[in-house]
Each structure stands twice: as C-alpha cells, then as structure tokens.
Amino acid sequence: MSFSRKMEFILYEKKFVKLYFRELARIFVALAILPVFWPVAIVSVILLLSLRYLIQKVLNLFHGKNVYCLVSSGADGLFGHKTTGNSALIHAVTVLKGQPDLESVRERYKTHVFTYTDPATGRQNIYDKIKWNLTTKLGFHCWHNKSSSFQISRHVRYLDGIRPNEVFTEDKLMTLLGKLMSTRKVGGHETQQHEQDMPQWEHLIIPNYRLNHESPDSRPTHFVSIYRVHHAYMDGASFAIFMDSVLSDKPLRYCMDPLKPFPGMTLLKSAWIHFKALTVGPLDFILTLKSSILDDSPLILRKYSHKKFVDWSKPIDLELVKEIKNRSGASIASILVSAITGGLRNLQEGLAIKKGVQSIVIPETISMGNMVVMLPYPTREMQNHFTTFSVPYPLAEENMIRRLRTSDQVGRSYLGSSEPWFHFYVMKFSALCPRLVQDVLMELPAAPIVFSNIPGIKEPFQIFERQLVDVGAWLPLFKAYGMAISTYSYCNKLRICVSSDSKLFETQSQLKSFIQDIEMGVQDLAKYYGIEQNINREDVTSPVITNSFSDKLSFRRLSAARSKANG
C-alpha cells in the first residue's frame, strides 16, 4: 500500500472514530434528558386539553354548538400566524384548453364538492370545511362556521377588472400572481366591509390565455384557473387529492399517491423510526431549533415588504431528471436541491466578478426548510399532513458533482432519521397551545429557503370537461423565508415555481435570472453524465434572458435589505 493510500486510510479511520463517539455522546445526552422532557410534555398536554375543553364549552354556550370550533391540528392553526407582509395563501394555476363555462364550474362545486362522501370512511360532506373561516376566539385559533352566509358566486368567479377580450400571456400571468400573493384577503373589489371575513379561498378564471409558442395575432385557445387557498385548509398534496376526488373528470394517476405509504416503508422500519423519534427526537429538535434561531443568512427576512414576485421555470423534461437520477444514484429531490444551491452560488460569484473582487466568502452550508408529506394521508379530507425541518445542504462546494453527492447523502440521512417525525408531532400537537404561544413558536426559528417537491400527475386528464395543458403551484411567503420554491410535474414535464419578496429580488427579471441558473444547473448535470437533451420546440417559446451581472442579486444588497427589513 502506497504512503498516500495509508495516510488516506488513517484519516478516514480517525474521522470514523470521531463520528462514532460523537453519535454515541448524542445518544447518551438524548437519553439523559428524557426523564425530564416527557413528564413535562405529558403534564402540559393534559393541562392544555383540559383548558381547551372548557373554552370549547364556553364558545358553545355563548355562540351555539358548531359555530366556533377550536382548531384540532397545529399544522392548520400555525397558518393563522400574522406578521408584516406575510401571506398564508397557496396559489395554484391550471391552464386548460378551450373557453370556460363559469356556471358549469360553479355547478361542479355544488354537485360534487359539497355532497361528496369519502368512499374509504363513509363520512359525508367532508369538504364543508371550505365554508368556514379561520379566526381567533378567547386566545385560541378556531374555525368559524360561515355556512349560513356562504355564496359560491363570491368564490368561483371571473378575475375582477378584466376587460372584454383582454388577452393574458405567461409574463402577464406571473405579474398578476405576484400581485395576488401580495394580498392577504380574498374577495373582489366589490366586497363589502362586513363580508371581509368570508372563507379564505377563491377560484378565479381568466378566459383568454395565449401560450408562449402561439402567434401574437392568433385567437387565444386556452383559459386559466387560479386557485387561492389559505394554507390552514389544506396542503399541496391534500389539494391534489381534492382535485382527484371532486374537480377532475376522471381519477388521476400520481407519480406518488398521497393515500399510499412510502415505497419500501415496512412495519419494522416504521417502528424503528418512531422509536428514535421518541428517544433521540427531542434532543435533535432542540439542536435544530438552536441552529435556526442563530442562522444569520442574508436570505432570512423577519419582515416582508408588501410586494411579491412570482415566476416559474420553462418545462423541464422529467425523463431527463430521472436519467440523471439513474446515472448518479441521487434522488430527484437532491438533484433539484443541487441545482438550486448552484444558482445561489452563481449569485455570489456574479457579485465577485462585477466588483472585481478576487474572492468572496461563501458559507459552507445553507439551511433549507424541507417540506415533506407524511405518507399515507389518513383520509381524503382537507388537511395539512406534512412537516418542515431544516437541512444544512452544501453551498461552498464548487464542484457540482461533489455538491450533488453530498446533498444526496445529507438529504437521505435526514429522511431516515427521527427528525421529520418528531417535527411532525410537535407541529401537530402545537394546536393545543394558545395563539400567543404558537406565534412565539413561529417567530423563533427561521430558514433562508423553503422547498417542497409536490407529487405530480403522470397522465393527461380533464377538469371541468377541458383538457389540462399546464399546472403550477406556489408556496406562500409565510415565516421568514426569503424564497419559497416548489416543484410540480405533469405528463413528464417539471415546473420549478419560485415566490420571493421585493426586499430580496428588486425586479421580476432578477427572479427570472435566478430561475434560469437553476435550469442551467440541471442541464449541466445532464451534460456531465452524457445525457442527450431532447428539446420540445413548444417548450422553447421565448428567447432566454441572458445572465447579466448587472441584473443579478448581490448578497451585499441581500444583507443590507435584511438589516433594513429587520430594523
């Protein structure tokens, strides 16, 4: 054995021993705090349950039964948190072929949504929740039953202020979505003041939409539906189940069915993960919470502006991403994460070149809030059944292949750990706490970015008797995230959807430039693994905006923006 190989082996052995003892020490510390943690947790839960029982009785006494109902899941109640400029509304878009029939869309809600019975449980009217409004009573988040004043015409309608025969393009749609995300409330300009507390969702229709590859002189042959839904009602996977159950013309076929368990999740594996969550979970949660509180990333905004930017990538061939997965051994989520961190590196490198700086300090890692659905979803009812936990992905690593491998190793280690499940239970049971405590829980931790890979649809399908052409979904800027990134696929085409605040991206073109860097990251990985990229002519519908250092977001301005935003 050569001297260099011997040294490499010795260093590896020392590293292994160091990690082994560090893990052993972590387990001992975790076990040591359990005799204190769980008794305190159990007593707190009993006291809170008793308090909630009394409050619910008081609400029933003064307002009547089933008028105000305390929120039962923390994953719903946490989205009642409000701070400067934040938004709790999910925005989803479907592009459909043909022209809309507003009355038939409303009729679908009346005949399918409000009368739906869950075939698995036999429960009736499980979607009546969209007739309720999230509010606060006696210091707790609760649902206010607004069924008596509910009118479908106020929620399912044409976009306000649209001119007759006005044509929307993709760029115009993205600008509109940014304006909508900047608005917390739903309801048109004609809505009266006393109606402002109506249920927080709406389905807006834009009749004339022109695809990018269509001639500017051609007659529009598509229309758009915009769904604005308060996150307290449901998450992205639950919304996909909702579409499958009542809105689509036939059952959907998902890349990963939310109603089925994770592939390969055996009873033994599940038991082991939950055992770790009950033992090591509390310590890991505390350490992650500490790390997120101390995170000083320039992408973190404790306060938002009142102007948001929204955009999406060109359709990316999902088969291309799958081929990268096959050749690299990395997961699809890790491939996308690696492309995103590559885009963040480009922002900083662009600043260095523009300023003539020889070198710029790039953090070793960046904490990304991963949103993971906790499969299987127990029912088809509207719900939030996910968890969010911060993962330190590599950022300083310049080599994209090493960055991909490390990202995949880190991502897999977290998914196989106890942390997601313990975070899920903490979020779920946080509903027991008063709103004041929940607000503190929301304000303390932070991450620069939140990322969600929503299960997509495999095959073409129809909704409201119209063919679906394209779909995208944008996460709300809710906590202190500088960016919210989600991905959604349809018929082997993947869209990367990004929402951000004007305190980070000053213009729409800056956000476009960042998304193009992510696209280039995926293409560069494909080139490295020798994968041919078949470009569909319809996907290349407009010239690519060239990356310009003058149009890139500098991290120096990011830091200044964050300092200004946080006072």
Side-chain angles (χ1 to χ4, degrees):
M1 183 183 293
S2 66
F3 177 76
S4 61
R5 291 293 300 275
K6 284 182 179 179
M7 290 301 297
E8 185 178 335
F9 178 77
I10 292 171
L11 290 173
Y12 175 79
E13 192 176 46
K14 286 183 176 179
K15 184 178 180 181
F16 175 80
V17 171
K18 185 178 180 181
L19 290 174
Y20 174 80
F21 280 106
R22 183 184 295 174
E23 182 67 15
L24 200 62
R26 185 177 71 91
I27 293 173
F28 278 126
V29 173
L31 294 176
I33 69 172
L34 290 184
V36 177
F37 177 84
W38 282 114
V40 171
I42 292 171
V43 171
S44 300
V45 167
I46 293 173
L47 291 175
L48 285 170
L49 284 172
S50 303
L51 177 61
R52 285 170 58 86
Y53 176 80
L54 293 175
I55 288 176
Q56 186 63 67
K57 290 296 183 182
V58 171
L59 291 174
N60 292 346
L61 178 64
F62 285 93
H63 301 281
K65 197 173 181 180
N66 295 327
V67 176
Y68 288 100
C69 300
L70 292 179
V71 173
S72 59
S73 172
D76 299 345
L78 288 175
F79 288 104
H81 175 68
K82 294 180 182 178
T83 188
T84 303
N86 78 337
S87 169
L89 294 175
I90 301 171
H91 289 72
V93 162
T94 57
V95 179
L96 303 172
K97 195 171 184 179
Q99 286 300 309
D101 182 346
L102 179 60
E103 289 308 315
S104 69
V105 174
R106 288 173 175 171
E107 191 64 24
R108 177 71 62 91
Y109 278 89
K110 294 175 184 177
T111 58
H112 288 63
V113 175
F114 301 127
T115 61
Y116 184 78
T117 299
D118 191 336
T121 63
R123 287 194 58 182
Q124 299 179 338
N125 307 322
I126 65 171
Y127 294 127
D128 271 1
K129 187 177 179 180
I130 62 174
K131 296 180 181 179
W132 301 354
N133 182 52
L134 185 70
T135 185
T136 304
K137 282 290 181 183
L138 301 179
F140 282 78
H141 289 299
C142 58
W143 291 106
H144 184 193
N145 191 336
K146 307 288 289 185
S147 300
S148 59
S149 61
F150 180 83
Q151 297 177 26
I152 191 66
S153 59
R154 292 162 58 192
H155 294 268
V156 181
R157 54 190 174 81
Y158 287 117
L159 176 70
D160 288 324
I162 193 169
R163 300 187 302 272
N165 301 321
E166 182 177 359
V167 177
F168 268 72
T169 60
E170 185 173 298
D171 287 341
K172 192 172 181 179
L173 177 62
M174 293 300 116
T175 301
L176 170 66
L177 285 172
K179 292 179 179 178
L180 291 174
M181 186 168 283
S182 304
T183 306
R184 284 183 180 179
K185 292 186 178 294
V186 301
H189 57 79
E190 79 285 350
T191 304
Q192 299 299 316
Q193 186 65 34
H194 68 277
E195 296 175 341
Q196 286 295 329
D197 63 340
M198 69 187 218
Q200 286 288 91
W201 71 275
E202 58 188 354
H203 177 170
L204 306 176
I205 297 175
I206 301 174
N208 299 309
Y209 183 77
R210 181 180 289 127
L211 301 179
N212 276 5
H213 68 273
E214 294 178 327
S215 169
D217 300 324
S218 64
R219 183 178 179 182
T221 56
H222 296 79
F223 71 97
V224 168
S225 283
I226 300 175
Y227 301 88
R228 304 181 70 218
V229 184
H230 198 292
H231 215 315
Y233 291 101
M234 58 181 131
D235 57 26
S238 185
F239 179 73
I241 296 172
F242 174 75
M243 289 184 65
D244 178 33
S245 301
V246 293
L247 295 187
S248 63
D249 297 345
K250 64 176 184 178
L252 311 182
R253 188 183 172 207
Y254 294 109
C255 299
M256 183 179 288
D257 190 341
L259 293 171
K260 294 182 179 179
F262 278 111
M265 181 58 71
T266 63
L267 184 62
L268 185 62
K269 282 183 180 179
S270 178
W272 174 242
I273 289 174
H274 283 79
F275 173 75
K276 287 196 297 181
L278 294 173
T279 54
V280 187
L283 176 63
D284 288 343
F285 175 78
I286 292 170
L287 294 175
T288 301
L289 184 63
K290 174 191 171 186
S291 176
S292 63
I293 291 173
L294 298 177
D295 196 336
D296 62 349
S297 170
L299 283 173
I300 293 175
L301 285 179
R302 294 292 181 181
K303 294 180 181 178
Y304 294 108
S305 75
H306 294 285
K307 186 176 183 181
K308 308 292 185 290
F309 291 114
V310 164
D311 218 320
W312 60 2
S313 67
K314 292 185 178 65
I316 298 172
D317 187 355
L318 189 57
E319 291 300 322
L320 177 76
V321 182
K322 288 179 180 177
E323 189 60 31
I324 297 174
K325 172 189 174 183
N326 293 336
R327 300 195 186 189
S328 67
S331 68
I332 290 179
S334 297
I335 292 167
L336 297 174
V337 165
S338 180
I340 291 168
T341 53
L344 292 174
R345 280 190 55 85
N346 289 345
L347 292 176
Q348 297 173 88
E349 290 172 356
L351 172 65
I353 295 173
K354 178 185 175 183
K355 298 293 185 181
V357 179
Q358 295 298 320
S359 63
I360 186 169
V361 177
I362 299 176
E364 284 294 321
T365 61
I366 184 168
S367 294
M368 191 176 296
N370 280 28
M371 295 185 73
V372 179
V373 295
M374 308 304 286
L375 303 182
Y377 277 50
T379 65
R380 293 178 177 269
E381 296 183 37
M382 299 165 68
Q383 60 195 296
N384 283 280
H385 202 258
F386 72 97
T387 187
T388 305
F389 56 98
S390 294
V391 178
Y393 287 109
L395 185 65
E397 176 57 65
E398 185 175 2
N399 185 287
M400 64 178 181
I401 302 304
R402 286 199 293 266
R403 193 170 66 247
L404 171 61
R405 289 170 181 167
T406 305
S407 296
D408 192 56
Q409 290 171 0
V410 172
R412 289 180 189 275
S413 68
Y414 271 78
L415 284 177
S417 71
S418 63
E419 203 151 339
W421 279 102
F422 192 80
H423 275 252
F424 173 66
Y425 289 131
V426 169
M427 187 167 66
K428 189 175 182 65
F429 289 106
S430 66
L432 302 178
C433 300
R435 175 182 173 177
L436 180 63
V437 176
Q438 289 191 11
D439 285 345
V440 172
L441 292 174
M442 294 298 291
E443 290 286 350
L444 281 177
I449 300 173
V450 63
F451 172 69
S452 177
N453 188 20
I454 304 170
I457 305 168
K458 280 188 175 183
E459 298 171 346
F461 85 104
Q462 291 190 156
I463 181 171
F464 306 120
E465 301 180 352
R466 303 290 190 273
Q467 185 72 32
L468 180 70
V469 176
D470 209 346
V471 61
W474 288 263
L475 301 175
L477 288 173
F478 184 70
K479 279 172 55 64
Y481 306 116
M483 288 186 227
I485 303 176
S486 62
T487 60
Y488 198 91
S489 62
Y490 174 61
C491 293
N492 278 326
K493 296 292 172 63
L494 180 76
R495 289 277 199 180
I496 301 172
C497 306
V498 185
S499 48
S500 188
D501 191 85
S502 64
K503 287 185 176 177
L504 293 181
F505 291 100
E506 297 172 357
T507 64
Q508 185 81 20
S509 59
Q510 287 178 353
L511 178 56
K512 280 184 178 293
S513 179
F514 173 73
I515 294 174
Q516 287 163 11
D517 284 344
I518 299 176
E519 294 171 2
M520 286 300 299
V522 176
Q523 294 173 19
D524 288 342
L525 285 171
K527 288 178 184 177
Y528 175 85
Y529 289 107
I531 304 169
E532 291 188 14
Q533 301 179 52
N534 298 318
I535 301 177
N536 187 330
R537 180 60 194 165
E538 289 188 356
D539 296 339
V540 187
T541 55
S542 60
V544 176
I545 301 174
T546 57
N547 292 336
S548 160
F549 294 127
S550 63
D551 195 37
K552 280 187 176 291
L553 172 66
S554 76
F555 264 53
R556 188 169 300 170
R557 277 187 285 139
L558 276 179
S559 300
R562 180 175 179 266
S563 298
K564 185 178 179 182
N566 296 335

